[in-house]
Amino acid sequence: MAISRIAQGGVVALGSALWGWSTGAYAEYELNMPQGVTSISKDVYDLHMLIFWICVAIGIGVFGVMFWSIYHHRKSRGAVAAQFHESTVIEIIWTIIPMAILIAMAVPATGTLVRMADARDAELTIKVTGYQWRWQYDYLDQGVSFFSTLSTPQAQIRNTASKGEHYLLEVDNPLVVPVGKKVRILTTAADVIHSWWVPDLGWKKDAIPGFINEAWTQIDKPGIYRGQCAELCGRDHGFMPVVVKAVSPEEFEQWLVQMKAQANPQTAQNKPVSLSATVPGGQTL
Amino acid sequence: MSTAAPTHEHGHDHEHHGPAPGLSRWILTTNHKDIGTLYLLFSLLMFFIGGAMALVIRAELFQPGLQIVDPHFFNQMTTMHALVMIFGAVMPAFVGLANWLIPIMIGAPDMALPRMNNWSFWIMPFAFTLLLSTLFTAGGGPAGGWTLYPPLVLQTGEAFPFVILAVHMMGASSIMGAINIVATILNLRAPTMTLMKMPLFVWTWLITAFLLVAVMPVLAGAVTMLLTDKYFGTSFFNAAGGGDPVMFQHIFWFFGHPEVYIMILPAFGVISMIIPTFARKPLFGYASMVYATASIAFLSFIVWAHHMFTVGMPLAGELFFMYATMLIAVPTGVKVFNWVSTMWRGSMTFETPMLFAIAFVILFTIGGFSGLMLAIAPADFQYHDTYFVVAHFHYVLVPGAVFSIMAAAYYWLPKWTGHMYNEKLGQWHFWLSVVGINVLFFPQHFLGLAGMPRRIPDYALQFTEFNMISTVGAFIFGISQLLFAYNVIQTIRGGAKATDQVWEGAKGLEWTLSSPPPYHTFQTAPRVD
């Protein structure tokens, strides 16, 4: 009795949660993974939902049989125990069917993984270096480099000021990238292991001292996308957000010029940067 | 000597050989029942210490902002909570169950190596005193996470060598416990107790013990390399010296993944004992249960790098570890199907052990589902190191391993003590626990999917609601465990007399003994048909 009541309660709770999610009744918080703003992040989201619904279907089947049994095959209802205890046929069936489901899931997962691993032909390469506790971004071919640090005031963290909209997810200098271009991101670290993560891009990549890891993204939609360091990196691990600002290619070029002017005022008026001249410098960084 | 001794004297000797009086009984004991009791009570104590740390974590996370603890202390709490719960609560509880139950399930007079048994227990209080005392050293206790990843862990202060020594002591204790269990099961079974007649709890522990012997030395090696990196100038994991920080993760998870199964296989065994009793029907698919357990144990050695999908492995490596990990769903599924089939057309009653067992099957399966999701490497790039992972492993460890331990405690407590526990209090404990645990951990799935990383002391505002709910669940769950402790203590002190059979549907050698069993049992091997 009690168990079927809790089951009912669970179904009601799950149903209302799904309803709230589908109707967007809760603007404040999210129940599900974001679909993100890249083709990869959408593929990842689809994989996530595919396996989620497969699990839900299996769960309904298995728990359904179980609850039916709990309700009907109870001693208080006068059930008399059968004494069967094996069936080779059934056991082979319920080994083969899960195998088939797994293969069906492995196929699209493999495709997405292969696409994610292919960082060739990127138009822009940015090296991301993790420090305790901030990020450094190097635009290797453009000679632009800067640090990106949490900009939330201590007063908000210490609860002496009211918290802003992007509490803990705001930085002084965001990473700026152009939309519609394939951007290669190289991650490494200078002290301990960090992990660079923006949920809207669909992946995270560890930043490991002594290693350079490679990943890529191509953002479709201009906007500001926020994430955090995902690998425990010490005291202020919770206080090193990642903010990515995706802008149109023209805006990006303007921003680059401005950054170079700031970094090197005398040469800022020079000719446009040539790729061949800066590549060697980038490689030795 | 025993061959020379006259049989009469021999028998006479045993009749008068009871426990030693006073404290020396517990310190000097070589009796498997006493040592089992010590292990179980020790793990109960550690469960409350680790639980108190979890409540510190949840209290800090009740609201955004820093309210109660400093971030560095918060990191010490997450690290210590894990070490205490894994090595101090769950593992010793299963070793305690093994000590109490394996000899009386296979018709053995005691464990095969009784003096080592005493030693393997008595290392534990020292190991944990050492570990917990590091919280009071300069720089605080370990704060780099229980996975001890370098280079971060090398930033630990004075606590560092003490933590490593404590891990070594726990490892030594586990290895000795495991060797003892293997030796007992393989050598001391009653002659008619063939391997394929052994209760499933014994089978799962036999396989678990082999896992322990195989991987605890690997952990010992890994932490020793950390120690030499810090104090003796080596560079195993130091990139600047030509070492490799990712190598530590490979070695650690080669231990760590089998470790996960070390904590769940005995739970499978417990559940496979309890469901048939209360369904009054034999376990469905005994042989396939044994083979499934062995398959899971084998697979546990070749899936470790699914904990490391984001470290930047080559594509081929990620594919291999993804496929291998997904395969684990097959034998695990077989187990769940077998439990449901055991219940099917049974004649069920729902005493506290059965309630915990049913909750185990459902909630462990939910943890299994999220595990399958985590196995999909491209999706894991999103899930990894978020609260989705926290929800996943707590579902398999708390309503998984811990619920099975509680089910076992209620199930065998009448046998151990000779008294029935308070059923009404048991039911209260169950319902509060099962509601508390779901309120605690289910919202963490949402937090992780929405983007909240693990191991952060403060969070962005959109995570507030579910963190509050989770904290409320944590306190409901935590406080309701006091009912469990009270019920166990009251049952030890007295209560209604338990019959020898205890449960109507119980089958197996342990139920042929009196409740409580005499200090020495099965001096003569019983017959098993």
Side-chain angles (χ1 to χ4, degrees):
Chain A
M1 252 341 262
I3 284 182
S4 55
R5 255 200 322 256
I6 203 86
Q8 273 173 9
V11 169
V12 170
L14 185 68
S16 51
L18 286 174
W19 177 82
W21 165 39
S22 59
T23 57
Y26 305 112
E28 281 290 309
Y29 54 81
E30 288 292 330
L31 285 166
N32 202 3
M33 184 189 284
Q35 294 205 31
V37 289
T38 68
S39 66
I40 287 290
S41 73
K42 291 187 177 83
D43 285 356
V44 168
Y45 174 83
D46 290 342
L47 270 178
H48 159 70
M49 290 316 286
L50 171 70
I51 186 160
F52 171 72
W53 287 117
I54 289 174
C55 288
V56 168
I58 297 171
I60 289 174
V62 173
F63 299 150
V65 171
M66 191 171 159
F67 284 121
W68 202 88
S69 180
I70 286 171
Y71 187 73
H72 292 279
H73 305 146
R74 49 174 57 212
K75 200 183 177 198
S76 56
R77 286 175 65 94
V80 180
Q83 290 302 311
F84 67 86
H85 56 81
E86 59 189 359
S87 159
T88 311
V89 177
I90 263 193
E91 290 178 62
I92 288 174
I93 290 173
W94 71 36
T95 308
I96 289 176
I97 291 179
M99 275 303 290
I101 296 174
L102 289 179
I103 292 169
M105 288 191 311
V107 171
T110 304
T112 306
L113 197 59
V114 169
R115 265 199 309 289
M116 290 175 97
D118 181 9
R120 285 173 301 178
D121 304 324
E123 294 177 67
L124 177 67
T125 299
I126 300 168
K127 188 177 80 158
V128 177
T129 310
Y131 290 82
Q132 286 176 316
W133 293 273
R134 55 186 175 161
W135 298 101
Q136 185 183 18
Y137 299 119
D138 284 298
Y139 292 69
L140 294 185
D141 300 329
Q142 287 73 23
V144 168
S145 171
F146 57 90
F147 283 95
S148 177
T149 312
L150 178 75
S151 62
T152 303
Q154 276 295 315
Q156 291 187 16
I157 297 169
R158 299 284 157 192
N159 308 307
T160 51
S162 65
K163 295 176 175 38
E165 188 192 351
H166 299 299
Y167 176 70
L168 296 189
L169 296 180
E170 52 202 352
V171 295
D172 49 2
N173 304 306
L175 177 72
V176 179
V177 293
V179 293
K181 295 208 166 153
K182 186 165 181 176
V183 180
R184 190 162 69 125
I185 298 200
L186 305 176
T187 59
T188 186
D191 36 45
V192 302
I193 300 173
H194 304 266
S195 188
W196 195 83
W197 181 35
V198 179
D200 279 318
L201 305 191
W203 50 264
K204 64 178 67 70
K205 201 72 162 179
D206 288 1
I208 304 170
F211 278 69
I212 294 182
N213 278 330
E214 184 183 61
W216 66 273
T217 189
Q218 181 169 336
I219 299 176
D220 301 329
K221 212 173 87 185
I224 295 177
Y225 306 109
R226 296 165 198 277
Q228 282 177 270
C229 177
E231 177 69 50
L232 178 62
C233 58
R235 189 181 183 282
D236 284 349
H237 164 54
F239 305 93
M240 52 181 293
V242 175
V243 179
V244 175
K245 192 174 165 194
V247 298
S248 67
E250 303 75 46
E251 225 179 303
F252 178 69
E253 290 303 327
Q254 282 170 17
W255 175 81
L256 267 186
V257 171
Q258 202 187 329
M259 287 305 282
K260 282 181 209 155
Q262 275 176 18
N264 200 350
Q266 295 95 325
T267 57
Q269 307 307 322
N270 280 0
K271 60 187 189 312
V273 178
S274 86
L275 186 68
S276 55
T278 49
V279 160
Q283 294 298 334
T284 56
L285 261 177
Chain B
M1 190 210 105
S2 62
T3 45
T7 20
H8 175 72
E9 258 183 46
H10 200 75
H12 185 79
D13 229 345
H14 281 143
E15 280 164 40
H16 292 274
H17 185 72
L23 194 62
S24 61
R25 166 181 177 178
W26 300 106
I27 294 172
L28 303 176
T29 185
T30 54
N31 180 287
H32 73 99
K33 300 181 185 75
D34 283 352
I35 293 173
T37 304
L38 285 171
Y39 264 112
L40 287 166
L41 292 176
F42 176 78
S43 80
L44 186 62
L45 175 67
M46 287 297 134
F47 182 60
F48 279 98
I49 293 175
M53 293 173 176
L55 291 183
V56 171
I57 294 169
R58 282 312 327 164
E60 175 57 49
L61 291 173
F62 183 66
Q63 285 179 66
L66 295 175
Q67 286 87 17
I68 300 169
V69 294
D70 170 80
H72 183 58
F73 187 73
F74 182 92
N75 290 342
Q76 293 173 44
M77 287 291 102
T78 56
T79 306
M80 284 292 212
H81 163 72
L83 290 170
V84 168
M85 286 302 201
I86 293 168
F87 294 101
V90 174
M91 290 171 70
F94 281 128
V95 179
L97 290 173
N99 257 291
W100 245 108
L101 295 171
I102 289 174
I104 62 177
M105 282 179 165
I106 62 173
D110 204 307
M111 295 295 278
L113 308 160
R115 287 189 182 84
M116 196 170 84
N117 204 13
N118 173 292
W119 192 27
S120 68
F121 171 75
W122 277 108
I123 287 177
M124 299 288 286
F126 294 95
F128 279 89
T129 307
L130 190 61
L131 180 70
L132 293 169
S133 67
T134 63
L135 285 172
F136 305 101
T137 57
W146 82 279
T147 51
L148 305 173
Y149 282 5
L152 181 63
V153 75
L154 301 175
Q155 296 180 349
T156 309
E158 287 174 8
F160 189 74
F162 301 102
V163 173
I164 301 297
L165 183 59
V167 171
H168 272 307
M169 288 165 77
M170 294 166 205
S173 163
S174 293
I175 292 169
M176 285 192 283
I179 290 172
N180 209 345
I181 286 165
V182 172
T184 305
I185 296 173
L186 294 186
N187 294 301
L188 294 191
R189 276 172 292 130
T192 45
M193 175 65 78
T194 58
L195 283 175
M196 288 309 273
K197 278 187 194 164
M198 292 196 310
L200 216 73
F201 177 76
V202 181
W203 254 117
T204 54
W205 241 118
L206 178 63
I207 292 167
T208 303
F210 276 106
L211 289 183
L212 273 167
V213 172
V215 301
M216 291 310 288
V218 177
L219 175 67
V223 299
T224 305
M225 285 187 266
L226 287 177
L227 198 69
T228 62
D229 265 13
K230 185 156 167 94
Y231 295 112
F232 303 105
T234 59
S235 293
F236 290 109
F237 309 126
N238 176 7
D244 180 346
V246 178
M247 185 172 75
F248 177 85
Q249 300 186 19
H250 282 291
I251 300 171
F252 181 87
W253 287 113
F254 185 80
F255 145 78
H257 201 78
E259 169 70 19
V260 172
Y261 293 108
I262 286 164
M263 292 190 284
I264 203 65
L265 295 183
F268 290 165
V270 166
I271 301 304
S272 302
M273 306 304 292
I274 290 175
I275 290 181
T277 294
F278 295 96
R280 294 166 179 77
K281 188 164 157 279
L283 181 69
F284 186 87
Y286 171 89
S288 67
M289 283 297 216
V290 173
Y291 302 140
T293 309
S295 315
I296 293 172
F298 168 74
L299 287 172
S300 77
F301 284 109
I302 57 166
V303 296
W304 75 88
H306 68 215
H307 298 268
M308 307 163 52
F309 278 141
T310 62
V311 300
M313 271 183 291
L315 180 62
E318 303 212 310
L319 288 173
F320 171 79
F321 286 108
M322 174 170 79
Y323 298 148
T325 305
M326 290 169 78
L327 268 185
I328 295 180
V330 176
T332 313
V334 165
K335 287 194 162 284
V336 174
F337 300 145
N338 281 345
W339 289 322
V340 174
S341 305
T342 305
M343 291 160 72
W344 185 255
R345 291 183 54 210
S347 173
M348 278 185 274
T349 51
F350 303 95
E351 290 86 344
T352 311
M354 182 62 160
L355 290 176
F356 274 104
I358 289 171
F360 172 95
V361 175
I362 296 168
L363 300 175
F364 172 80
T365 303
I366 290 176
F369 286 148
S370 56
L372 188 56
M373 296 171 79
L374 284 158
I376 309 292
D380 180 76
F381 293 151
Q382 286 279 38
Y383 307 138
H384 182 75
D385 265 334
T386 69
Y387 261 83
F388 190 80
V389 177
V390 176
H392 158 71
F393 68 71
H394 280 102
Y395 260 86
V396 291
L397 274 176
V398 186
V402 172
F403 271 24
S404 84
I405 293 164
M406 281 164 179
Y410 284 113
Y411 184 60
W412 281 292
L413 207 53
K415 173 56 65 188
W416 298 334
T417 63
H419 306 128
M420 283 309 285
Y421 62 87
N422 182 333
E423 180 65 39
K424 188 162 216 156
L425 208 56
Q427 302 251 344
W428 268 102
H429 170 230
F430 170 76
W431 286 108
L432 286 169
S433 294
V434 84
V435 169
I437 208 78
N438 284 293
V439 174
L440 165 56
F441 292 121
F442 208 83
Q444 296 186 357
H445 291 109
F446 305 140
L447 285 172
L449 293 176
M452 180 167 163
R454 294 170 70 176
R455 295 165 163 169
I456 55 173
D458 192 4
Y459 48 81
L461 301 182
Q462 70 263 35
F463 305 131
T464 309
E465 287 84 354
F466 288 127
N467 269 300
M468 282 187 170
I469 295 169
S470 182
T471 298
V472 170
F475 278 84
I476 296 173
F477 180 73
I479 291 166
S480 56
Q481 300 321 305
L482 295 171
L483 292 180
F484 176 64
Y486 176 80
N487 208 349
V488 168
I489 292 165
Q490 288 301 311
T491 310
I492 293 171
R493 290 160 61 102
K497 184 88 188 76
T499 61
D500 294 354
Q501 173 76 14
V502 184
W503 310 107
E504 188 188 34
K507 294 210 164 59
L509 284 178
E510 75 267 35
W511 308 108
T512 64
L513 298 167
S514 62
S515 297
Y519 199 55
H520 292 285
T521 44
F522 295 128
Q523 307 279 66
T524 334
R527 267 205 68 80
V528 188
D529 355 273

Coordinates of all heavy atoms in Angstrom, one line a residue, chain B residues 45-96:
Chain B
L45 N 29.8 4.3 13.6 CA 30.4 5.5 14.2 C 30.9 6.4 13.0 O 30.6 7.6 13.0 CB 31.5 5.2 15.1 CG 32.3 6.3 15.7 CD1 31.4 7.2 16.6 CD2 33.5 5.9 16.4
M46 N 31.6 5.7 12.1 CA 32.2 6.5 11.0 C 31.0 7.1 10.1 O 31.2 8.1 9.5 CB 33.1 5.6 10.1 CG 34.4 5.3 10.8 SD 35.3 6.8 11.0 CE 35.9 6.5 12.7
F47 N 29.9 6.3 10.0 CA 28.8 6.8 9.2 C 28.3 8.1 9.8 O 27.9 9.0 9.0 CB 27.7 5.7 9.2 CG 26.5 6.0 8.4 CD1 26.5 6.2 7.1 CD2 25.2 6.0 9.1 CE1 25.4 6.5 6.3 CE2 24.1 6.3 8.3 CZ 24.2 6.5 7.0
F48 N 28.3 8.2 11.1 CA 27.8 9.5 11.7 C 28.8 10.6 11.5 O 28.5 11.7 11.3 CB 27.4 9.2 13.1 CG 26.0 8.7 13.3 CD1 25.8 7.3 13.4 CD2 24.9 9.5 13.1 CE1 24.5 6.7 13.5 CE2 23.6 8.9 13.2 CZ 23.4 7.6 13.4
I49 N 30.1 10.2 11.7 CA 31.1 11.3 11.5 C 31.1 11.8 10.1 O 31.1 13.0 9.8 CB 32.5 10.7 11.9 CG1 32.6 10.5 13.4 CG2 33.6 11.7 11.5 CD1 33.8 9.8 13.9
G50 N 31.1 10.9 9.1 CA 31.1 11.3 7.7 C 29.8 12.0 7.4 O 29.8 13.0 6.6
G51 N 28.7 11.6 8.0 CA 27.4 12.2 7.8 C 27.4 13.6 8.3 O 26.9 14.6 7.7
A52 N 28.0 13.9 9.5 CA 28.1 15.2 10.0 C 28.8 16.1 9.1 O 28.5 17.3 8.8 CB 28.8 15.2 11.4
M53 N 29.9 15.6 8.4 CA 30.6 16.4 7.4 C 29.8 16.7 6.2 O 29.8 17.9 5.7 CB 31.9 15.7 7.0 CG 32.9 15.5 8.0 SD 34.2 14.4 7.5 CE 35.3 14.5 8.9
A54 N 29.0 15.8 5.8 CA 28.0 16.0 4.7 C 27.1 17.1 5.1 O 26.7 18.0 4.2 CB 27.3 14.7 4.3
L55 N 26.6 17.1 6.3 CA 25.7 18.2 6.7 C 26.3 19.6 6.7 O 25.7 20.5 6.5 CB 25.0 17.8 8.1 CG 24.1 16.6 8.0 CD1 23.4 16.4 9.4 CD2 23.0 16.7 7.0
V56 N 27.6 19.6 7.1 CA 28.3 20.9 7.0 C 28.3 21.4 5.5 O 28.0 22.5 5.2 CB 29.8 20.8 7.5 CG1 30.6 22.0 7.2 CG2 29.8 20.4 9.0
I57 N 28.6 20.4 4.6 CA 28.6 20.8 3.2 C 27.2 21.3 2.8 O 27.1 22.3 2.1 CB 29.0 19.5 2.3 CG1 30.4 19.1 2.6 CG2 28.8 19.8 0.9 CD1 30.8 17.8 2.1
R58 N 26.2 20.5 3.1 CA 24.8 20.9 2.7 C 24.4 22.2 3.3 O 23.6 23.0 2.7 CB 23.8 19.8 2.9 CG 23.8 18.6 2.0 CD 23.8 18.8 0.5 NE 23.1 20.0 0.0 CZ 23.2 20.5 -1.2 NH1 24.1 19.9 -2.0 NH2 22.6 21.5 -1.6
A59 N 24.8 22.4 4.6 CA 24.4 23.6 5.3 C 25.0 24.9 4.5 O 24.3 25.9 4.3 CB 24.8 23.6 6.7
E60 N 26.2 24.7 4.2 CA 26.9 25.8 3.5 C 26.2 26.1 2.1 O 26.1 27.2 1.6 CB 28.4 25.5 3.3 CG 29.1 26.6 2.4 CD 29.0 28.0 3.0 OE1 29.3 28.2 4.2 OE2 28.7 28.9 2.2
L61 N 25.7 25.0 1.5 CA 25.1 25.1 0.1 C 23.6 25.5 0.2 O 23.0 25.5 -0.9 CB 25.4 23.8 -0.7 CG 26.8 23.6 -1.0 CD1 26.9 22.2 -1.7 CD2 27.3 24.7 -2.0
F62 N 23.1 25.7 1.4 CA 21.7 26.0 1.5 C 21.3 27.3 0.7 O 20.3 27.4 0.1 CB 21.3 26.1 2.9 CG 19.8 26.4 3.1 CD1 18.9 25.4 2.8 CD2 19.3 27.6 3.7 CE1 17.5 25.6 3.0 CE2 18.0 27.8 3.9 CZ 17.1 26.8 3.5
Q63 N 22.3 28.2 0.8 CA 22.0 29.5 0.1 C 23.3 29.9 -0.7 O 24.4 29.5 -0.3 CB 21.8 30.6 1.1 CG 20.4 30.6 1.7 CD 20.3 31.7 2.7 OE1 20.3 32.9 2.3 NE2 20.3 31.4 4.0
P64 N 23.2 30.7 -1.7 CA 24.4 31.2 -2.4 C 25.1 32.2 -1.4 O 24.4 32.8 -0.5 CB 23.8 32.0 -3.6 CG 22.4 32.2 -3.4 CD 21.9 31.1 -2.4
G65 N 26.3 32.4 -1.6 CA 27.1 33.2 -0.7 C 27.9 32.3 0.3 O 27.5 31.2 0.4
L66 N 28.9 32.9 0.9 CA 29.6 32.1 1.9 C 29.0 32.4 3.3 O 29.0 33.6 3.7 CB 31.1 32.4 1.9 CG 31.8 32.0 0.6 CD1 33.2 32.5 0.6 CD2 31.7 30.5 0.4
Q67 N 28.4 31.5 4.0 CA 27.7 31.7 5.3 C 28.5 31.1 6.4 O 28.7 31.7 7.4 CB 26.3 31.2 5.3 CG 25.3 32.0 4.5 CD 25.3 31.6 3.0 OE1 25.7 30.5 2.7 NE2 24.8 32.4 2.2
I68 N 28.8 29.8 6.3 CA 29.1 29.1 7.5 C 30.6 28.7 7.5 O 31.3 28.9 8.6 CB 28.3 27.8 7.6 CG1 26.8 28.1 7.6 CG2 28.7 26.9 8.7 CD1 25.9 27.0 7.4
V69 N 31.2 28.3 6.4 CA 32.6 27.8 6.4 C 33.4 28.5 5.4 O 32.8 29.0 4.3 CB 32.7 26.3 6.3 CG1 32.1 25.6 7.5 CG2 32.1 25.8 5.0
D70 N 34.7 28.5 5.6 CA 35.6 29.1 4.6 C 35.7 28.1 3.4 O 35.6 26.9 3.7 CB 36.9 29.2 5.4 CG 38.1 29.6 4.4 OD1 38.2 30.7 4.1 OD2 38.8 28.6 4.1
P71 N 36.0 28.5 2.2 CA 36.1 27.6 1.1 C 37.1 26.5 1.3 O 37.0 25.3 0.9 CB 36.5 28.5 -0.1 CG 35.9 29.8 0.2 CD 36.0 29.9 1.7
H72 N 38.3 26.8 1.9 CA 39.3 25.8 2.2 C 38.8 24.7 3.1 O 39.0 23.5 2.9 CB 40.5 26.5 2.7 CG 41.7 25.5 2.9 ND1 42.2 24.8 1.9 CD2 42.4 25.2 4.1 CE1 43.2 24.0 2.4 NE2 43.3 24.2 3.7
F73 N 38.0 25.1 4.1 CA 37.5 24.1 5.1 C 36.4 23.3 4.3 O 36.3 22.1 4.6 CB 36.9 24.8 6.3 CG 36.5 23.8 7.4 CD1 37.4 23.1 8.1 CD2 35.1 23.6 7.6 CE1 37.0 22.2 9.0 CE2 34.8 22.6 8.6 CZ 35.7 21.9 9.3
F74 N 35.6 24.0 3.5 CA 34.6 23.3 2.7 C 35.3 22.2 1.9 O 34.8 21.0 1.9 CB 33.9 24.3 1.7 CG 32.9 23.7 0.9 CD1 31.5 23.7 1.3 CD2 33.2 23.2 -0.3 CE1 30.5 23.2 0.5 CE2 32.1 22.6 -1.1 CZ 30.8 22.6 -0.7
N75 N 36.4 22.5 1.3 CA 37.1 21.5 0.5 C 37.6 20.3 1.4 O 37.7 19.2 1.0 CB 38.3 22.1 -0.3 CG 37.8 23.0 -1.4 OD1 36.7 22.9 -1.8 ND2 38.7 23.9 -1.9
Q76 N 38.1 20.7 2.6 CA 38.5 19.6 3.5 C 37.3 18.7 3.8 O 37.4 17.5 4.0 CB 39.0 20.2 4.8 CG 40.3 21.0 4.6 CD 40.7 21.7 5.9 OE1 40.6 21.1 7.0 NE2 41.1 22.9 5.8
M77 N 36.1 19.3 4.0 CA 34.9 18.5 4.3 C 34.6 17.6 3.2 O 34.3 16.4 3.4 CB 33.7 19.5 4.6 CG 33.8 20.2 5.9 SD 33.6 19.0 7.4 CE 35.3 18.9 7.9
T78 N 34.6 18.1 1.9 CA 34.2 17.2 0.8 C 35.2 16.0 0.7 O 34.9 14.9 0.5 CB 34.2 17.9 -0.6 OG1 35.4 18.6 -0.8 CG2 33.1 19.0 -0.6
T79 N 36.5 16.3 0.9 CA 37.5 15.3 0.8 C 37.4 14.3 2.0 O 37.4 13.1 1.7 CB 38.9 16.0 0.9 OG1 39.0 17.0 -0.1 CG2 40.0 15.0 0.7
M80 N 37.2 14.8 3.2 CA 37.1 13.9 4.3 C 35.8 13.1 4.3 O 35.8 11.9 4.7 CB 37.2 14.7 5.6 CG 38.6 15.2 5.9 SD 39.6 13.7 6.4 CE 40.7 14.5 7.5
H81 N 34.8 13.7 3.9 CA 33.5 13.0 3.9 C 33.6 11.8 3.0 O 33.2 10.7 3.4 CB 32.4 14.0 3.3 CG 31.2 13.3 2.8 ND1 30.2 12.7 3.7 CD2 30.7 13.0 1.6 CE1 29.3 12.2 3.0 NE2 29.5 12.3 1.7
A82 N 34.2 12.0 1.8 CA 34.4 10.8 0.9 C 35.3 9.8 1.5 O 34.9 8.6 1.5 CB 34.9 11.3 -0.4
L83 N 36.4 10.2 2.1 CA 37.4 9.2 2.6 C 36.8 8.4 3.8 O 36.9 7.2 3.9 CB 38.7 9.8 3.0 CG 39.6 10.4 1.9 CD1 40.7 11.2 2.5 CD2 40.2 9.2 1.1
V84 N 36.1 9.1 4.6 CA 35.5 8.5 5.8 C 34.3 7.6 5.4 O 34.2 6.4 5.9 CB 35.0 9.6 6.8 CG1 34.1 9.0 7.9 CG2 36.2 10.3 7.4
M85 N 33.5 8.0 4.5 CA 32.4 7.2 4.1 C 32.8 5.9 3.3 O 32.3 4.8 3.6 CB 31.4 8.0 3.3 CG 30.5 9.0 4.1 SD 29.6 8.1 5.4 CE 28.3 9.4 5.7
I86 N 33.8 6.1 2.4 CA 34.2 5.0 1.6 C 35.0 4.0 2.4 O 34.6 2.8 2.5 CB 35.0 5.4 0.4 CG1 34.1 6.2 -0.6 CG2 35.7 4.2 -0.3 CD1 34.9 7.0 -1.6
F87 N 36.1 4.5 3.1 CA 37.0 3.6 3.7 C 36.6 3.3 5.2 O 37.0 2.3 5.8 CB 38.4 4.1 3.7 CG 39.0 4.2 2.3 CD1 39.0 5.4 1.6 CD2 39.5 3.0 1.7 CE1 39.6 5.4 0.4 CE2 40.0 3.1 0.4 CZ 40.1 4.3 -0.3
G88 N 35.8 4.2 5.8 CA 35.4 4.0 7.2 C 34.0 3.5 7.4 O 33.8 2.8 8.4
A89 N 33.1 3.8 6.5 CA 31.7 3.4 6.8 C 31.3 2.2 5.9 O 31.0 1.1 6.4 CB 30.7 4.5 6.5
V90 N 31.4 2.3 4.6 CA 30.8 1.3 3.7 C 31.7 0.0 3.7 O 31.2 -1.1 3.9 CB 30.6 1.8 2.3 CG1 30.2 0.7 1.3 CG2 29.6 2.9 2.3
M91 N 33.0 0.2 3.4 CA 33.8 -1.0 3.4 C 33.9 -1.8 4.7 O 33.7 -3.0 4.6 CB 35.2 -0.6 2.8 CG 35.2 -0.2 1.4 SD 36.8 0.5 0.8 CE 37.8 -1.0 0.9
P92 N 34.2 -1.1 5.8 CA 34.2 -1.9 7.0 C 32.8 -2.5 7.4 O 32.8 -3.6 8.0 CB 34.5 -0.9 8.1 CG 35.2 0.2 7.4 CD 34.6 0.3 6.0
A93 N 31.7 -1.9 7.0 CA 30.4 -2.5 7.2 C 30.3 -3.8 6.5 O 29.8 -4.8 7.0 CB 29.3 -1.6 6.8
F94 N 30.7 -3.9 5.2 CA 30.7 -5.1 4.5 C 31.6 -6.2 5.0 O 31.3 -7.3 5.1 CB 30.9 -4.9 3.0 CG 29.7 -4.3 2.3 CD1 29.8 -3.1 1.5 CD2 28.5 -4.9 2.4 CE1 28.7 -2.6 0.9 CE2 27.4 -4.4 1.7 CZ 27.5 -3.3 1.0
V95 N 32.8 -5.7 5.5 CA 33.8 -6.7 6.1 C 33.2 -7.2 7.4 O 33.3 -8.4 7.7 CB 35.1 -6.0 6.3 CG1 36.1 -7.0 7.0 CG2 35.7 -5.5 5.0
G96 N 32.5 -6.4 8.1 CA 31.8 -6.8 9.3 C 30.7 -7.9 9.0 O 30.6 -8.9 9.7

